[in-house]
Amino acid sequence: MSIRFDGRVAIVTGAGGGLGRCHALALAARGAKLVVNDYAATAAAGSAAADAVVEEIRRAGGEAIAAPGSVTDEAAMRAMVEQALATWGRIDILVNNAGILRDKSFAKMDLADFRLVLDVHVMGAVICSHLVWPVMKAQKYGRIVMTSSSSGLYGNFGQANYGTAKMALVGLMQTLAIEGAKDGIRVNCLAPTAATR
């Protein structure tokens, strides 16, 4: 079966590399127009990683724009959503993929690192989903994917913060799937395992 996303607009967070880049390229290869988000140290500097993925998509004949910024920055994410709407007039897909690691055994973990991981993974997904929700609701169509992890499902030494964040996304997914059903918004999780970036 050939799955196509022609005419659809997708936002992928953390798409400058790794799994996010793969999501962006796969969606673009199937006809979606892409908003490629990746963290930028400063707004002025932008994100070289996001720009590189945009160029890769364009070279392959697709349409893409870069939207640098941290998913924890509500103003930056609002600007990303507004940019997508101004460019293409709709948002059909959101892949909440942005994340960080601050691995250390629980006994040695600084609570600031625990909070930071929760903020990026959980609140980043909440912020982005909350911003696209009214757009998808008005369209009566939306697809949201949360990136969970086997570290959340099964645990992994040194990843109490990461595992907690990834299981929180499962709870968010379950509730949003119920609330979005009547408006054609489907919400799912992926739980990948990786040995490298």
Side-chain angles (χ1 to χ4, degrees):
M1 178 173 74
S2 179
I3 298 172
R4 298 292 305 173
F5 298 102
D6 300 289
R8 300 293 186 191
V9 176
I11 295 173
V12 181
T13 67
L19 189 59
R21 175 180 167 272
C22 291
H23 288 320
L25 295 176
L27 286 163
R30 287 163 178 79
K33 299 168 185 173
L34 262 294
V35 179
V36 178
N37 162 263
D38 205 68
Y39 175 74
T42 64
S47 169
D51 291 338
V53 175
V54 166
E55 280 309 307
E56 197 172 349
I57 290 168
R58 288 178 179 168
R59 278 195 310 272
E63 292 183 59
I65 54 175
S70 170
V71 292
T72 63
D73 183 341
E74 204 170 333
M77 294 303 95
R78 184 174 289 106
M80 174 183 72
V81 167
E82 289 170 357
Q83 181 184 12
L85 292 172
T87 305
W88 294 304
R90 60 186 299 118
I91 298 168
D92 301 287
I93 301 162
L94 168 64
V95 180
N96 285 307
N97 178 74
I100 60 167
L101 294 173
R102 294 294 183 273
D103 293 354
K104 199 172 278 190
S105 69
F106 188 64
K108 296 177 181 175
M109 187 175 291
D110 188 308
L111 289 182
D113 280 341
F114 205 106
R115 286 189 183 96
L116 179 61
V117 169
L118 287 175
D119 201 27
V120 172
H121 290 270
V122 181
M123 288 310 300
V126 169
I127 288 166
C128 293
S129 299
H130 196 257
L131 287 167
V132 302
W133 197 263
V135 177
M136 292 179 172
K137 191 171 178 175
Q139 293 171 171
K140 298 292 184 190
Y141 181 94
R143 303 292 183 261
I144 298 176
V145 176
M146 311 287 181
T147 305
S148 183
S149 171
S150 58
S151 293
L153 296 171
Y154 305 112
N156 194 26
F157 187 90
Q159 292 193 320
N161 49 8
Y162 183 78
T164 300
K166 290 309 193 180
M167 280 309 287
L169 291 175
V170 175
L172 178 62
M173 176 268 297
Q174 296 284 23
T175 300
L176 295 187
I178 293 166
E179 293 185 8
K182 69 182 184 303
D183 292 310
I185 303 170
R186 295 183 183 171
V187 187
N188 289 282
C189 274
L190 298 175
T193 299
T196 67
R197 286 183 64 121

